Amino acid sequence: MTELPEIEHYRRQLGEWILDRPIERVLLVNERSTDVTPEEFAGALEGRTLLFLERRGTFLIFHLDNGHRLLIALAKDGALYCGDGEEQPPFNAQAEIGFGEKTLYIAGKASVLRLMTVRGLDEVVKTLGPDPFSRQLTPELFVTQLKKRRGALRSLLTGQKLVAGIGPRYADEIAFEAGLLPSVKVQDLNGESAARLYEAIENVLGAAIEAGGSLQTPLYAGDTVTGGYLSQCKVYEREGEACTEEGAKVEKMDVSGKKAYYCPQCQYEQTPVFS
Ligand SMILES: [Zn+2]
């Protein structure tokens, strides 16, 4: 599943291949991935150039040279591949966008590609909480916002309102890093725990971006970077495996109907204070 680190990794990697080059070919394989006809979709993109790549939460946003935007929201099974010449992606592409020698392939049956005006895009992104890496989201603001919330930590982290871009994998890894059980009620967290939670969000997501995220699908031929964080994940989908810190085994719990992975020895009701 693509969460913030996977999309940010894509954003950083793709820039050098697809910016400032005219879009020459557009093929929409899955007509349901957008809200216009394949012809209208191709017509709106062909001949245009991308000036900038932006990420908001898990949305990848292409800034076109006519002021419009192309929003890409990858589905759970979504991925991107950037190929040279005739090179084919390791998946069935839902859409292809060709930039000279490079072709960007988009996977995921339910992935969404939407041409938007700036105003239309604003309507979509304003429903998201702050980006974990926005300068506005200071530790103080985070703690203030957290105090207004109620509910299980796991649900709050994946809810996109407190911060945008976190899904099941990083929610579990963040809770582990903060030393907090996924089931703790955020309204019960003390100041120390709230501060540690903020740090854990920044640290886990930052490390995951640097390591290339957790998607196993390569982004280009010979790619050894993408998915580099998979081996660093401590708890997510590691039930029964020894916790890397203490030797205790990772367990699974149900939080509001969702599976959460955690270590019963390293995670508490409040973040542990070491003297
Ligand atoms: Zn542990």
Side-chain angles (χ1 to χ4, degrees), residues 176 243 245-248 263 265-266:
F176 176 83
C243 165
E245 306 288 325
E246 305 283 336
C263 173
Q265 204 163 307
C266 303

Side-chain angles (χ1 to χ4, degrees), residues 89-145:
F91 49 67
N92 291 322
Q94 304 297 312
E96 307 178 12
I97 304 175
F99 304 79
E101 274 297 289
K102 299 282 185 189
T103 303
L104 179 68
Y105 297 92
I106 298 147
K109 270 221 169 79
S111 292
V112 171
L113 296 106
R114 187 117 339 145
L115 292 157
M116 303 190 97
T117 60
V118 172
R119 185 174 294 183
L121 181 67
D122 283 346
E123 290 297 312
V124 173
V125 297
K126 79 177 187 192
T127 62
L128 298 172
D131 196 90
F133 295 107
S134 92
R135 281 195 203 97
Q136 284 81 35
L137 190 68
T138 59
E140 295 73 28
L141 179 66
F142 176 81
V143 172
T144 308
Q145 293 299 322

Side-chain angles (χ1 to χ4, degrees), residues 14 19 29 46 54 80 83 87 110 112 115-116 144 188 212-213 220 222 255 265:
L14 288 174
L19 286 182
V29 180
E46 282 168 0
E54 183 188 7
L80 299 180
E87 204 184 299
V112 171
L115 292 157
M116 303 190 97
T144 308
D188 297 336
Y220 52 92
V255 183
Q265 204 163 307

Side-chain angles (χ1 to χ4, degrees), residues 176 234-235 241-250 262-267:
F176 176 83
K234 309 259 185 358
V235 289
E241 292 181 35
C243 165
T244 48
E245 306 288 325
E246 305 283 336
K249 286 200 167 45
V250 174
Y262 71 106
C263 173
Q265 204 163 307
C266 303
Q267 291 172 257

